[in-house]
Amino acid sequence: MPDAALEVRGVRKEFGAIVALDRIDLDVAAGEFVCLLGPSGCGKSTLLNAIAGFTRPSAGEILAFGKRVVQPEPARAMVFQEYALFPWMTVRENVSFGLQIRGDRGACEKADALLDKLALRGFGDRYPKDLSGGMRQRVALARALALDAPMLLMDEPFGALDALTRRSMQDELLRIWTELKQTIVFVTHGIEESLLLADRVVVMTYRPGTVKKIVPVALPRPRDEATPEFADALRSVTRLVREEQLRHERDQRA
Ligand SMILES: Nc1ncnc2c1ncn2[C@@H]1O[C@H](COP(=O)(O)OP(=O)(O)O)[C@@H](O)[C@H]1O
Ligand SMILES: [Mg+2]
C-alpha cells in the first residue's frame, strides 16, 4: 500500500506472564479514520501506546509514514482521556506550548485561531480549572491540532464526558477531520461511537489482544443512528464485541 500512513506488523506485547497483544497486523491509509474497539483490558491502549512510541512491542514492528516507530514524535499527536493540560498555564498557553517550543512566532495567533475553531473564543486567558470537562477536552484537542500532526492518536478521548457533550465532540472531531484529513486512530469501547466515527472498526479479542475482525463502515456521513442501516451495523458489531466481553467475564469467574 503506497500511501499507508501506518503499518503494524506482527506486533506482540507481553507484560510478564500477560500477553496483552499478539499477532497484530494492521494497515491504515493516509487520511483514514480507524477505531480500535474492544472490552476493557483487551489491549487497545497498549497498541495505541506502541503506535505512539511510548512503549516498544516485544515482537514485530510498527511503521508510521514508512519509518519505524522507536519513540514519540510530533508527527503523531496523542490525545488522552484525562485531559493532561498544564494546570498552571492559561488555555492559550496550553494550546501554544508546543508551538512556542518549536519557536513558532505566530504561536499565539495560531492558538487563538484554533480556540475559535473549537468554540473556545474568549477563553484563552482562563485556566483549565475554570472550564467544564467538555471544554477542557476541546483544549486538549486544540493542543494536539496546533502542531499540524498528520496522525492523531486518541485514547478514549471523550470517555469521561456526558452523553450530549460527547456527541458534540464527535461532530466537532469529524468536522475537523473532514477539513484536515489527518490519519486518526481512535480507541474506544463505545460501539456506537466507533460506528459514528470510523471508516473501519478494528474489533479486538480479549487476552491476548488480537484483531478479531476489521469491519468497514460504509454508511454515508453525516451518519444517523436512527437509520435501519446504522442499526444493522450496530447489531453485528455488538455481537462481535459481546463475544469477547463474555469470554472476559468467564475468565474472571474461573
Ligand atoms: N504497564 C503494564 N504492566 C502490566 N500489565 C499491563 C500494563 N499495561 C497494560 N497491562 C495489561 O495489559 C492488558 C491490556 O491493557 P490495556 O491496553 O490497558 O487495555 P485496554 O486499553 O483495552 O483497556 C491488561 O490485561 C492490562 O492489565
Ligand atoms: Mg485503555
Side-chain angles (χ1 to χ4, degrees), residues 10-52:
V11 162
R12 178 179 170 92
K13 179 71 182 181
E14 296 156 16
F15 295 107
I18 294 174
V19 181
L21 298 174
D22 196 26
R23 289 173 286 120
I24 303 278
D25 287 305
L26 178 65
D27 279 327
V28 180
E32 196 181 11
F33 197 139
V34 162
C35 281
L36 305 180
L37 175 70
S40 179
C42 76
K44 304 181 295 295
S45 296
T46 303
L47 179 54
L48 202 70
N49 287 333
I51 294 169

Side-chain angles (χ1 to χ4, degrees), residues 163-178:
L164 288 175
T165 309
R166 184 183 316 137
R167 198 52 229 269
S168 26
M169 289 299 291
Q170 291 161 345
D171 287 345
E172 221 142 330
L173 177 62
L174 284 172
R175 204 158 42 71
I176 288 163
W177 173 70
T178 305

Side-chain angles (χ1 to χ4, degrees), residues 128-245:
K129 67 172 171 44
D130 302 324
L131 306 182
S132 68
M135 291 167 83
R136 283 200 289 259
Q137 199 53 308
R138 272 174 226 267
V139 177
L141 185 54
R143 190 176 58 181
L145 294 172
L147 293 170
D148 293 320
M151 190 180 295
L152 289 181
L153 306 177
M154 311 183 80
D155 194 350
E156 310 212 23
F158 310 145
L161 306 177
D162 65 83
L164 288 175
T165 309
R166 184 183 316 137
R167 198 52 229 269
S168 26
M169 289 299 291
Q170 291 161 345
D171 287 345
E172 221 142 330
L173 177 62
L174 284 172
R175 204 158 42 71
I176 288 163
W177 173 70
T178 305
E179 184 188 328
L180 302 174
K181 277 290 174 186
Q182 304 97 333
T183 306
I184 300 185
V185 183
F186 185 108
V187 163
T188 181
H189 61 256
I191 303 170
E192 276 199 74
E193 177 163 71
S194 73
L195 292 171
L196 277 169
L197 296 175
D199 294 318
R200 289 186 299 153
V201 176
V202 180
V203 182
M204 293 179 65
T205 62
Y206 174 78
R207 261 203 217 169
T210 64
V211 175
K212 182 181 176 79
K213 194 166 184 191
I214 299 182
V215 181
V217 186
L219 306 168
R221 293 184 174 94
R223 291 179 181 159
D224 182 354
E225 300 106 306
T227 61
E229 292 78 15
F230 193 95
D232 284 347
L234 189 61
R235 202 172 317 113
S236 65
V237 174
T238 300
R239 190 177 310 126
L240 295 169
V241 175
R242 187 80 189 128
E243 281 172 11
E244 294 310 310
Q245 178 67 29

